Structure formats: C-alpha cells, structure tokens
Amino acid sequence: MTRALFALKLRLLRNGPHDERAFSLVTGLLLAALVVAGASPAVRGLVGEGWIALALTVWGGMWLFGPLAQPRHDPSVISREWLRGYPIRPWRLARALSWTELLGVGPLITLACLLSLVVLAAPGGPVAVAIAVVAVVAQLYLLVWAGKTVAALASWLLQTRAGMTLAAVQTAVMLAVSFAGWVPIAAWLLPRLGEGEAELAAPSLGRLPEPVVDGLAALPTGWGYGAVVAARDGAGAGAVVLPMAALALGALLQLGWIALTARALRRPPRRATPPRPAGPGRGLSLPFVSPQVSAVVARELATWFRDPARGVELRSAWLTPPLMAAIIALTDWSWALPLVGPAAAVFGAMVAINTYALDGTALWQLLTTPGALKADVRGRMAAWALLFGAPSVVLAAVLWAVTGSPLGGAAVCGAVAAAAVGCAAAPLLAVVMPAVGTDARDRVYPGQQAGDPTGGQMTVFPVVALAAVAGSLWWAALLPAAAVLYAAPALTLRLLRRRGTGLLDAMASRDAASVR
C-alpha cells in the first residue's frame, strides 16, 4: 500500500499545478544555498559558527510555525477526504500514508539547508563527517514530523470554537511579525529617522554570545548542530546521542500524526447544522441607502461573525493592526504608529476578496431575484466600510492624536484612500478571481478547504498599498480613490450579470477554472 501511495503522490506532483511549487522550490534552494555558503567561512573562523546555529533554528522554526500561519490550508498532496470510506483499517492506511509525507518540496529544501552541517564537520575527518550525515538525516526526520504533527493538531483544533479564535490569533501574530518585524531592526540602524536624520548606525555582527549558542544547540532544532560540533571536537561516541534522540522524538511525533490521521479517517463527514434555530431578525436601518441595501448589510454583518471561514479572517484582520502597533511602540519609532491605520485597510481588503466563493451556491438566490444583484454589490461594500474601512481611519486618527506624529495627517489621508480603494476592489476581485472550495452549506469549521485566495490577496495588496501611499502625498490624491469608489460598483455589477451563471456552475462543481 505504501508503494501505491508513493506512486500516486509522484503522479500528482508530476501532473499537478507547478507554479507555486516551483516558486517555493527555487526560493527555498536559494536560501539553503546561502546557509551552506555561510558554513564555509564559519569553518575558517571568518564568521561565528553561532550564526549557522541561528539560521538552522530559524529554519526549524519555519516547520513549527509555518502550519500556524495558514491553518486553513491542508499542505498534503493526497487529501484524507479521498481515502475516507476505503475498506482498510484507518490505522494501517494512516501508517502507509505517513511515509508519503516525507516526499515533497519542504523536506527537499530542508535537506539542502542541513548539508551545512556536513561542511562544518569536514575539518574533523571522516568519522565526524559520517556522524554529520546521520545528524542531517535525524534532524530532517524530526523537523518534518514536528511540522506535520503541528499541522494535524491545528486542523483538529479548528473544529472547535476555541480553535477558531486560536487560528485567528496565530494568523494575526504571524502577519504582525511579517509586516512589522523589521521595524526594531530599522529603528536600531536609523534611530533618529523620525527627527529627519538619516544617519546610519554601523551594525556589528561579530559572534553570538556563547550562552546564546549553547541555548540554540540545546533546542531540538539545534540537536544536529550540537552533534556535529561535538563530533568535530572529539567527543567520541557521545556525539551520536543527540541524533538518536532526534530519531526517537521524530518517531513519537510520527506516531502522533498517524493517530490523528486515523481518527480523521475514522470519523464520518459531518453535516452543517445551525447553532440555533433560524428566526426573523430585526431589520437594520442605514441612512442614505435603500431598504434592500440595508438588508444586505445586515446579512453580511451576520455572516462575517457566524461563518467559520469568514470569522477567522475577520478576527485576524482586527487583531493584526494592534499587534503591529505594539511592536512599533517598543521601539523609538513612535512617529510611525499612525501608519498602522492604512495597514489595517490593506488587511481588510485582503481578507474580503473571496466573499462570493465563500457564500457558494447561495448565489442562485441573487441571480433569480430581480434587482438583487445591485443591492448585493452596494451592501457588501457598505458592510466592508463598517467592518474595516471606518475602523482603519479611526485607528489612524487616534494614533495621530496619541503620538502627535508629523506623519499623522498623511496617515489619515492614506487610510481614507486605502479604505476607498479596498471597499471598491474587494467585491470586484471576488467576482474576477474566485477561489472556490467547500460549499458554505457543507462547511462546518474553518479547517475545511474553503478555497485558497492567495492570488487575489497578492493582487489587492499592492493596489490598496499604492492607494494608501498616493493618498498620503496630497489631499488631491483622494479624488482618484473617490472615482474608483464610484465606478467599481457598476463594473462589478456588469461582471456579475455576465458571468453569474458560470460562477454558480463553478460553485456547484467546485472548479474555479470554469469561470476563467
């Protein structure tokens, strides 16, 4: 059975889509080559070896925290949904499936990075190199199963309400670190940039302190490094202890993954059930809009809080800006805090570019009700403005008032421009670039595949970010944003009328290629 699953995965890798996988492979191999290249001067004493230990620790941390950054996307090429219901014992099927997880882009580029351990061990002779090879295999085995087990645990937790909140928090932490993690380094290099002085503080890398290096080597992600250094320095048979410990811990993690997978294969698919009986709700009255648009706004607000997939995106978009502000506040760059306002509008646009695909086949109600499409487009825009647009502008204004930053006015103008463009672009891209997944009526927890909107997010991010930059330059730059806000609804409505039937077919067949 293991051989058949290996053959299946190889066919899927060979005949499946290659764009994202090829990009990850090339990028990962380039980064791994930098680590391996850095090991050579470290052996000659030109660079501290502690930096190699730090690089390997960061690489191992990517295995642990990578699944937490995208907890709603199953990284497995062979989906467990395909195998559920086979007349095979779940434990046996999960055990055979586990070995196919070692085949992929991630293990390959990690193996390339760990070859730096062999370079470090080269001055110690053949015995040290042989121990380094064992350490590389053991470290790779441990990292792969640590990452796979974390992903399986995250998928299991996402089936609970507490898991939904956890997924939103961990996504927000990863986004905040990704977008604001460079600020402490920049504030260290340019401490007086807020005062108009661009004098660069000369960085000094030097060597990491010995206690820090020893701490990194003591972590499971550094056991391979510790074994190689011990073997090169003549520690004898004691250098093999850490690789053996890594193999043992990796085996335990593999057993844990097998148990979680067997449990998922044993559990039958659940049907979506409402948390409480449906009943008539109170209407929402908004000024300057028709009752139909107000009804759509009320529906959208309820959907953002009730739908599992949308709920995670909403919470992560709300939590990320405060976390970014906390990171910036710890530095001397308090003048940059108001810029979190435009960033909040960018995040709001990124999480709202797939709403039509998330609603699924419920689109038929809009297509068969006269006048419903126009009210739906405007209602979605109004709901986005209430949930993301207005809070981003208020956040920029409050941080301006608190910090007195000279960039406060520009940040508020940028937030207004970004909110306008994000409000217009979110429904438009939801029609143009739908990421179809599990239909809304079958989606009961956010861990289910609800579509991968990465393409739409990568499209809307530079658009809204450029709008924020342009809006911060001058008040007149807000006029193009207003024009976009005026023209985009008509374009979205036209595309919906022309492509609505094809979009509905894509929802029913769960194949977005039919729309394109």
Side-chain angles (χ1 to χ4, degrees):
M1 183 186 303
T2 303
R3 184 181 302 175
L5 291 175
F6 261 111
L8 173 62
K9 187 165 185 178
L10 285 174
R11 290 190 183 96
L12 291 173
L13 291 174
R14 185 168 57 249
N15 301 316
H18 301 290
D19 295 342
E20 183 177 353
R21 191 175 296 117
F23 176 78
S24 301
L25 178 62
V26 173
T27 305
L29 289 178
L30 288 176
L31 294 176
L34 291 177
V35 178
V36 176
S40 180
V43 171
R44 298 195 299 267
L46 302 178
V47 180
E49 290 184 354
W51 294 107
I52 304 300
L54 178 62
L56 295 177
T57 302
V58 172
W59 202 281
M62 290 166 56
W63 273 101
L64 294 175
F65 298 105
L68 301 180
Q70 292 184 320
R72 294 166 300 286
H73 302 292
D74 185 7
S76 301
V77 177
I78 302 178
S79 176
R80 292 171 300 186
E81 302 294 333
W82 304 345
L83 305 176
R84 181 182 287 137
Y86 270 53
I88 303 173
R89 288 181 302 171
W91 185 269
R92 181 188 174 196
L93 185 57
R95 186 176 64 248
L97 189 63
S98 66
W99 295 109
T100 66
E101 295 294 319
L102 300 176
L103 179 64
V105 173
L108 178 60
I109 60 178
T110 303
L111 176 62
C113 178
L114 290 174
L115 291 178
S116 59
L117 297 178
V118 179
V119 177
L120 291 180
V127 176
V129 171
I131 293 178
V133 172
V134 176
V136 167
V137 175
Q139 190 72 66
L140 176 65
Y141 183 68
L142 173 60
L143 291 180
V144 169
W145 285 115
K148 299 296 181 181
T149 306
V150 168
L153 285 173
S155 176
W156 174 66
L157 285 174
L158 283 175
Q159 301 178 32
T160 64
R161 186 174 296 274
M164 182 188 298
T165 303
L166 176 63
V169 171
Q170 65 197 18
T171 303
V173 170
M174 295 299 294
L175 287 174
V177 172
S178 301
F179 283 90
W182 59 272
V183 173
I185 300 176
W188 171 50
L189 296 176
L190 299 169
R192 298 183 178 274
L193 185 61
E195 301 173 6
E197 299 182 14
E199 182 180 355
L200 181 66
S204 177
L205 294 177
R207 297 177 178 270
L208 290 178
E210 287 299 327
V212 175
V213 178
D214 293 340
L216 295 177
L219 295 175
T221 54
W223 286 354
Y225 171 82
V228 167
V229 172
R232 190 189 59 193
D233 295 343
V240 189
V241 175
L242 288 177
M244 294 299 103
L247 288 174
L249 181 57
L252 290 177
L253 292 173
Q254 183 179 5
L255 288 176
W257 185 91
I258 293 174
L260 291 171
T261 304
R263 179 180 180 274
L265 292 171
R266 194 180 299 114
R267 186 180 61 251
R270 294 185 300 170
R271 298 292 298 177
T273 55
R276 55 179 178 271
R282 294 189 302 175
L284 180 66
S285 178
L286 295 175
F288 311 113
V289 298
S290 64
Q292 292 82 359
V293 175
S294 296
V296 174
V297 173
R299 182 205 68 196
E300 283 293 298
L301 295 178
T303 305
W304 274 107
F305 285 97
R306 293 179 183 177
D307 180 69
R310 282 216 216 180
V312 173
E313 302 290 359
L314 175 67
R315 289 167 174 80
S316 62
W318 278 357
L319 289 173
T320 302
L323 292 176
M324 290 178 61
I327 294 175
I328 298 174
L330 296 176
T331 68
D332 295 331
W333 277 22
S334 59
W335 52 268
L337 279 173
L339 299 178
V340 176
V346 174
F347 293 130
M350 293 177 68
V351 302
I353 50 88
N354 201 35
T355 52
Y356 280 108
L358 289 178
D359 291 348
T361 52
L363 180 64
W364 73 268
Q365 301 175 74
L366 302 176
L367 298 177
T368 56
T369 304
L373 287 178
K374 182 177 181 180
D376 184 77
V377 172
R378 297 188 179 277
R380 289 174 188 265
M381 294 175 62
W384 189 94
L386 291 175
L387 289 173
F388 304 106
S392 65
V393 177
V394 172
L395 179 62
V398 170
L399 292 176
W400 182 19
V402 170
T403 61
S405 170
L407 297 180
V412 172
C413 294
V416 172
V421 174
C423 182
L428 178 60
L429 285 179
V431 179
V432 175
M433 304 178 67
V436 180
T438 303
D439 197 68
R441 66 174 182 269
D442 299 324
R443 193 168 59 246
V444 293
Y445 61 91
Q448 288 175 298
Q449 184 57 263
D452 186 1
T454 303
Q457 290 175 346
M458 294 300 101
T459 302
V460 78
F461 174 77
V463 172
V464 181
L466 287 176
V469 174
S472 65
L473 297 178
W474 190 252
W475 276 97
L478 299 179
L479 295 178
V484 171
L485 190 62
Y486 175 79
L491 179 58
T492 305
L493 180 61
R494 180 181 177 184
L495 289 175
L496 264 179
R497 287 171 176 168
R498 189 177 65 185
R499 306 172 62 184
T501 304
L503 185 58
L504 181 59
D505 291 339
M507 306 297 184
S509 63
R510 300 181 186 180
D511 182 14
S514 60
V515 180
R516 304 189 186 99

